[in-house]
Amino acid sequence: MRYLYKSENISIPQRLLFIPLKEIVIFPYVVVPLFFQSDEALAILNRVLLENSLIGCVGQRDPSLKAPQPKDLLSIGTVCKILQLVKLPNRGIKILVEGLSRVFLENITYETPYFKADVNEINERQERTVLSETLVQSIGTLFKISLSMGKPLPEELLRTLDKIDHPGRLADLIAMTLHLGSKEQQEIFETIDPLERLKKVFQHFNREIQSTAARPHPFLHAGKEAGKFLKDHPLRPSLRGQREAPDEDPYLAELHELRDKVQHVGMPQKVEEIAYKEINRLERMNPISAEYTVSRTYLDYLITMPWNKRTEDNLDLTRAQVILNEDHYDLEKVKERILEFLAVKKLKDPMKGPILCFVGPPGVGKTSLGRSIARALERKFIRISLGGVRDEAEIRGHRRTYVGALPGRIIQEIRRAETSNPVFMLDEVDKIGQDVRGDPAAALLETLDPEQNFSFTDHYLDVPFDLSRVLFITTANTLSPIPPALLDRMEVIHLSGYTEEEKEKIAFQFLIPHQKEENGLTDHSLSFTPEALSKIIREYTREAGVRNLEREIATICRKIAKELAMGHRPKEVIDDIAVEELLGPQKFFREVAQERDRIGVATGLAWTENGGDLIFIETSKMSGDKGLILTGSLGDVMKESAQAALSYIRTNAPALQIPEDFYQQCDIHIHIPSGATPKDGPSAGITIATAVLSLLKAKPVPHDIAMTGEITLSGRVLPVGGIKEKILAARRAGVKTIVLPKKNEKNLEDIPDYVKKEMTFVLVEHIQEVLDLTLPS
């Protein structure tokens, strides 16, 4: 409800549609909501809106009558303008009307479902007398007294009072603030003389203030809460009377429905108490206020959260193993971990969900593995991508004080899943950003901690929600960007790249059948030969996973589908010759096969978030003054490795059979190609040392020997990471001999036997062993 000082001049028709009201009085210059619940009412109100938006409201002599007749209506009513019409749930209708003028009703007739009557507008006298001015001043004094006694009055009313000098309008506005019954309000409304009306209002106002002073009154104890309440609910004659409507009030019915839902949804006791408190607060609000919508939306979230809903896990380990094998080839460590989880849950229930982190290059099946785990457990699957997320509120939500506030993504997705124990995948956790809006990675600390997430508190809900039954899975390409505190909360499982043989099996078992189905070739006898797949893998893709391999297979399937759609007879068997016809010229070449032994160049092995790769470290010498030039977009750690390698060579020049003063009048330039790609890490240490010594001795290094390992100033070779990915990259490039740190010997256990048979592994502890192999005396 709102106060209006002045309404626009509107021409009132001679005959008007009237709605009977029960225990509600609409004064002129006041906006109030009315509620209806019938299709006939909607049709009539829509017609009124199209004509002139004017409608009459009149009280009943006996409010208990459900079907009043013309004789049961009062003789004075209010002409109102419809400002807004809103459809509500359960076929309800709400209209917002503005009182315009008092009118006499004559020749009342019944027209389903309401009435029509001739109207005679009541024009009030606006004479200013000494008595009227005295009453206006006295009313102002009473307002000051009521304010000093703690009665909160709406600010809008206080601002409006200063502009009103008409006794009748002043009386109408003040009457709406008094705690009067419908009969007293109707008596004031039907008092035509403005001065007499103001007298009655003054008497009621004075009596109310005296009553408040004589006994404890709710206003005196309401404090700021009551002030805020009336600010949102101006001109309410009573807390209950104004809520009643011509028909059943849909808002009251909705509040009753909310209470029923809270009772049966199975909330924790503390959350249930907060929900009931919010409903009670909602009941005191004006339905058209903005705060009402905010509170109603909040209750919707509380009620629809799956507090006690969960899916039953299928604990059949044999079935789970079959499903995991159906969907993914290899990945034995991950499959074993899921079976362990099921076994423990079978023996101990309830148990906290593990926090797993799948780390590996793109295309190895991290995300699809999460779906398979959910299918094996028969749980709902949720996935959100954290790549580029920079706002903490994306995780923990906004506080409800903000306009448009919403819960965080975790609470939103669990609400959509309608279960409290889904498989929840947080994809690309290594690509979370950070800015002035907070650190999302820090917000994940509580979410991914089994000791804390049983009472996860979203800023919007502001009540604890149990996440301990959720099986969280995060994915990353590399661990280095993940904060240590967050990494410590997760169980890391590494997913390595695939060998060519593994990719071939994956293609036959999964990729080709899937792409045939995707491209409408299920009924077509399309097949690939092993030679064709091998050609695609070696010459058209270069990756640790199988994503690009699937794209190339999809390209071939689309071309076959095109031939079929055009009525031609496409090839049914794709061999290595057909591959080149369909995919075009070869895209990738084996680097080592095209290389030759060169002085000052050594082959190294690198590991990136995309898998393993070969790097060719080039060196050159020129006249200068002891300068070391490093190029190729190198990071600080790699630059320090180059410094350490050069320092070792200078220190041990006699033993290495090179002049001790080789560095006196020259500069040495070390370059690693692909300068646009950032490179870092210590694993190129022995490769840099070998390349520099090759330059100084003028001896070439065999190009088919690749190496990796960190070098110290004393020449020791320390272990490095990413061994499997590096070995697979070397094999793809045609390398036959690989030099590894002795302490990385244990990593060879992860290498398939058929790869070990093809390649020679030299394990070293000191740089001299590397030089004896690559630069023999």
Side-chain angles (χ1 to χ4, degrees):
M1 208 177 312
R2 297 202 308 264
Y3 304 99
L4 295 170
Y5 169 60
K6 184 178 182 179
S7 177
E8 55 187 298
N9 294 322
I10 296 177
S11 177
I12 300 174
Q14 184 177 357
R15 192 164 180 80
L16 197 63
L17 179 73
F18 273 85
I19 300 173
L21 302 180
K22 299 177 181 179
E23 299 186 354
I24 296 179
V25 180
I26 299 180
F27 286 84
Y29 307 103
V30 174
V31 177
V32 295
L34 298 176
F35 304 95
F36 306 88
Q37 202 158 15
S38 72
D39 293 335
E40 288 180 333
L42 178 60
I44 291 173
L45 293 170
N46 278 327
R47 191 174 72 241
V48 169
L49 279 172
L50 290 173
E51 291 176 356
N52 53 19
S53 299
L54 296 182
I55 196 168
C57 295
V58 63
Q60 294 180 198
R61 299 181 189 278
D62 184 357
S64 63
L65 292 176
K66 292 186 178 179
Q69 299 302 313
K71 62 183 177 60
D72 299 316
L73 303 183
L74 296 170
S75 59
I76 299 179
T78 311
V79 176
C80 302
K81 180 183 178 182
I82 300 178
L83 302 177
Q84 185 184 52
L85 186 148
V86 180
K87 293 182 181 180
L88 301 174
N90 303 322
R91 299 174 62 188
I93 307 162
K94 182 190 82 172
I95 63 171
L96 206 61
V97 299
E98 169 194 342
L100 298 180
S101 175
R102 286 177 175 80
V103 292
F104 286 114
L105 279 69
E106 299 172 354
N107 301 323
I108 304 174
T109 59
Y110 179 70
E111 296 189 17
T112 307
Y114 301 125
F115 299 86
K116 274 197 172 182
D118 294 334
V119 296
N120 186 9
E121 187 174 2
I122 300 173
N123 295 314
E124 299 180 352
R125 293 182 291 109
Q126 300 190 27
E127 300 173 359
R128 298 184 64 178
T129 63
V130 176
L131 178 58
S132 66
E133 292 183 1
T134 302
L135 280 172
V136 170
Q137 292 176 1
S138 300
I139 289 287
T141 303
L142 288 178
F143 261 99
K144 292 178 182 178
I145 294 172
S146 62
L147 285 170
S148 66
M149 295 177 67
K151 177 177 179 179
L153 294 169
E155 295 178 6
E156 192 175 354
L157 174 60
L158 297 176
R159 290 194 301 268
T160 305
L161 286 173
D162 295 335
K163 304 174 184 177
I164 297 176
D165 56 1
H166 188 284
R169 291 187 182 177
L170 182 62
D172 290 342
L173 291 178
I174 295 173
M176 296 298 290
T177 69
L178 303 179
H179 285 186
L180 301 176
S182 58
K183 289 184 179 180
E184 289 86 354
Q185 280 196 332
Q186 187 66 36
E187 179 187 352
I188 293 173
F189 177 77
E190 292 184 348
T191 304
I192 304 302
D193 184 83
L195 199 55
E196 288 300 319
R197 195 188 316 148
L198 191 58
K199 285 181 183 179
K200 290 182 179 180
V201 170
F202 177 79
Q203 291 170 359
H204 284 294
F205 199 179
N206 189 37
R207 192 179 304 122
E208 185 176 291
I209 288 177
Q210 290 177 358
S211 175
T212 302
R215 60 179 173 79
H217 193 277
F219 282 131
L220 297 178
H221 300 280
K224 292 183 179 179
E225 184 178 351
K228 185 177 184 302
F229 166 68
L230 280 187
K231 180 180 178 181
D232 291 335
H233 309 79
L235 291 184
R236 183 181 296 272
S238 67
L239 293 179
R240 296 182 58 189
Q242 194 64 30
R243 273 290 171 90
E244 298 172 0
D247 301 312
E248 182 183 356
D249 187 340
Y251 281 108
L252 292 178
E254 185 182 39
L255 292 176
H256 177 76
E257 184 182 352
L258 287 173
R259 284 195 175 91
D260 188 61
K261 287 181 178 178
V262 169
Q263 184 178 356
H264 295 95
V265 79
M267 297 178 180
Q269 184 177 351
K270 289 184 178 179
V271 179
E272 189 173 303
E273 291 173 1
I274 291 171
Y276 281 129
K277 183 178 179 182
E278 195 68 23
I279 292 174
N280 293 335
R281 179 169 171 262
L282 198 66
E283 189 175 18
R284 299 193 301 270
M285 287 185 187
N286 190 331
I288 64 173
S289 68
E291 188 67 21
Y292 186 96
T293 306
V294 172
S295 186
R296 181 67 180 82
T297 305
Y298 173 63
L299 278 168
D300 275 341
Y301 272 100
L302 286 183
I303 290 171
T304 54
M305 287 299 296
W307 301 100
N308 268 334
K309 295 179 183 177
R310 61 177 64 95
T311 54
E312 290 296 326
D313 289 336
N314 190 324
L315 301 179
D316 186 343
L317 272 69
T318 304
R319 173 185 170 277
Q321 189 170 24
V322 170
I323 289 175
L324 293 172
N325 288 333
E326 280 179 0
D327 293 348
H328 290 84
Y329 178 81
D330 197 29
L331 304 180
E332 296 301 328
K333 288 183 180 179
V334 184
K335 295 175 182 176
E336 186 68 22
R337 180 64 184 87
I338 298 306
L339 295 177
E340 290 171 1
F341 167 72
L342 286 176
V344 174
K345 187 168 179 59
K346 194 171 185 178
L347 300 175
K348 181 183 182 296
D349 192 30
M351 67 169 290
K352 295 176 181 177
I355 315 293
L356 305 179
C357 179
F358 296 160
V359 181
V364 295
K366 299 185 294 296
T367 304
S368 60
L369 188 58
R371 291 191 180 91
S372 297
I373 292 170
R375 189 162 78 92
L377 296 173
E378 292 188 355
R379 290 191 181 190
K380 298 276 187 73
F381 178 72
I382 300 171
R383 174 192 168 274
I384 63 174
S385 177
L386 298 178
V389 172
R390 295 177 175 273
D391 190 353
E392 179 194 358
E394 290 282 336
I395 306 298
R396 305 200 62 165
H398 303 83
R399 301 192 185 277
R400 294 199 307 279
T401 52
Y402 295 109
V403 175
L406 285 173
R409 293 284 301 279
I410 291 174
I411 290 296
Q412 286 190 51
E413 295 299 333
I414 286 180
R415 178 191 179 220
R416 290 191 186 103
E418 298 179 345
T419 176
S420 61
N421 65 334
V423 174
F424 203 127
M425 174 162 281
L426 302 170
D427 224 354
E428 313 292 355
V429 72
D430 57 328
K431 297 174 181 63
I432 296 177
Q434 179 180 354
D435 62 12
V436 294
R437 292 171 291 181
D439 184 0
L444 283 174
L445 293 178
E446 180 186 6
T447 308
L448 300 181
D449 189 343
E451 301 301 322
Q452 299 180 47
N453 64 9
F454 67 90
S455 61
F456 173 75
T457 303
D458 184 272
H459 287 158
Y460 181 86
L461 290 187
D462 202 27
V463 293
F465 186 84
D466 186 4
L467 296 178
S468 62
R469 295 180 181 274
V470 178
L471 174 55
F472 281 106
I473 299 174
T474 65
T475 70
N477 296 129
T478 179
L479 295 178
S480 54
I482 303 176
L486 181 59
L487 186 61
D488 183 61
R489 285 162 166 77
M490 300 185 289
E491 180 181 342
V492 178
I493 299 177
H494 290 275
L495 280 69
S496 301
Y498 296 114
T499 64
E500 291 182 5
E501 290 77 8
E502 289 171 340
K503 289 180 181 180
E504 194 172 309
K505 291 179 181 178
I506 291 170
F508 278 121
Q509 292 182 28
F510 304 103
L511 305 184
I512 294 174
H514 176 67
Q515 286 304 323
K516 285 179 66 176
E517 182 180 351
E518 286 292 309
N519 292 281
L521 298 175
T522 308
D523 299 329
H524 184 69
S525 58
L526 177 67
S527 62
F528 288 72
T529 65
E531 293 77 16
L533 274 178
S534 179
K535 186 178 183 70
I536 296 172
I537 293 167
R538 292 184 178 185
E539 300 180 9
Y540 292 88
T541 66
R542 177 156 296 168
E543 58 179 345
V546 293
R547 189 168 291 158
N548 288 323
L549 173 60
E550 185 170 16
R551 289 195 185 106
E552 298 298 335
I553 293 172
T555 300
I556 293 175
C557 290
R558 287 196 302 272
K559 292 182 181 296
I560 299 297
K562 176 188 170 186
E563 293 293 316
L564 276 174
M566 295 177 69
H568 303 157
R569 286 195 64 179
K571 295 182 179 180
E572 294 185 353
V573 178
I574 305 299
D575 54 18
D576 52 346
I577 298 174
V579 167
E580 192 162 348
E581 292 175 0
L582 294 168
L583 296 181
Q586 180 178 348
K587 295 180 180 178
F588 297 99
F589 301 87
R590 292 201 170 197
E591 297 98 331
V592 173
Q594 297 194 5
E595 281 288 330
R596 55 184 175 80
D597 297 350
R598 290 186 293 168
I599 295 173
V601 178
T603 305
L605 294 172
W607 182 85
T608 69
E609 61 182 32
N610 295 317
D613 201 1
L614 259 67
I615 56 174
F616 297 96
I617 296 179
E618 302 176 348
T619 60
S620 63
K621 183 174 68 170
M622 64 210 78
S623 299
D625 184 21
K626 302 181 182 180
L628 177 61
I629 304 169
L630 302 172
T631 57
S633 190
L634 309 185
D636 291 339
V637 177
M638 185 169 274
K639 290 178 180 179
E640 291 172 359
S641 293
Q643 292 279 5
L646 182 59
S647 296
Y648 171 80
I649 293 173
R650 292 178 63 187
T651 303
N652 298 276
L656 297 173
Q657 300 177 3
I658 57 175
E660 291 188 46
D661 60 349
F662 74 90
Y663 197 48
Q664 294 298 320
Q665 296 180 348
C666 73
D667 291 340
I668 293 179
H669 186 171
I670 300 174
H671 176 69
I672 302 179
S674 299
T677 305
K679 309 169 191 69
D680 205 0
S683 63
I686 63 172
T687 314
I688 294 173
T690 303
V692 172
L693 200 58
S694 167
L695 174 70
L696 298 176
K697 283 191 167 188
K699 283 186 177 182
V701 178
H703 69 276
D704 59 349
I705 297 179
M707 59 194 77
T708 183
E710 180 181 354
I711 189 173
T712 68
L713 289 176
S714 60
R716 290 186 301 125
V717 180
L718 303 183
V720 292
I723 295 298
K724 182 177 180 181
E725 286 78 8
K726 292 175 179 179
I727 291 174
L728 296 181
R731 183 171 181 255
R732 287 195 297 269
V735 172
K736 297 300 181 183
T737 303
I738 296 179
V739 178
L740 298 173
K742 176 71 173 176
K743 291 183 179 179
N744 281 122
E745 184 176 9
K746 62 182 182 299
N747 298 109
L748 295 178
E749 296 175 4
D750 298 331
I751 308 300
D753 290 337
Y754 56 84
V755 175
K756 293 179 185 177
K757 290 177 182 178
E758 291 181 11
M759 308 180 76
T760 301
F761 298 96
V762 180
L763 303 175
V764 299
E765 294 181 300
H766 196 275
I767 185 64
Q768 190 59 51
E769 299 173 57
V770 180
L771 301 177
D772 291 342
L773 176 68
T774 57
L775 299 170
S777 301

